[in-house]
Amino acid sequence: MKPLYTNFEQIETDLRRFDLERKIAWEELKLIKTEFKEDFRPYNWVEPIIKGASKYGVFMLLRKLFTKR
């Protein structure tokens, strides 16, 4: 349902509001794109892999110490 406008001032107000909403949405999309790029950088993948490998290594070391004796 279309709003009924009584003057051009109301139309201009709505147009300004829609333009601002569009600009806000565009900036949010750019922010999401940047966050997505940062999440897939190799550095962000290497750190968790190293942490996981070190935890696994400590577990295996403890296991060898306790099972050999």
Side-chain angles (χ1 to χ4, degrees), residues 6-49:
T6 57
N7 57 25
F8 285 108
E9 208 172 286
Q10 291 174 344
I11 295 171
E12 289 174 3
T13 303
D14 270 355
L15 287 175
R16 273 191 242 116
R17 182 173 54 92
F18 294 143
D19 185 51
L20 288 173
E21 288 175 357
R22 181 183 59 82
K23 287 178 182 177
I24 291 170
W26 181 250
E27 292 298 323
E28 288 174 349
L29 280 174
K30 288 189 333 189
L31 178 65
I32 289 171
K33 178 184 171 189
T34 304
E35 289 174 354
F36 187 75
K37 277 184 177 179
E38 288 176 5
D39 287 343
F40 281 100
R41 289 200 174 149
Y43 173 74
N44 292 335
W45 286 31
V46 171
E47 187 178 348
I49 291 171

Side-chain angles (χ1 to χ4, degrees), residues 49-64:
I49 291 171
I50 291 172
K51 284 183 181 179
S54 65
K55 286 180 184 178
Y56 180 73
V58 169
F59 173 72
M60 293 302 291
L61 178 67
L62 290 174
R63 184 173 160 200
K64 282 187 178 186

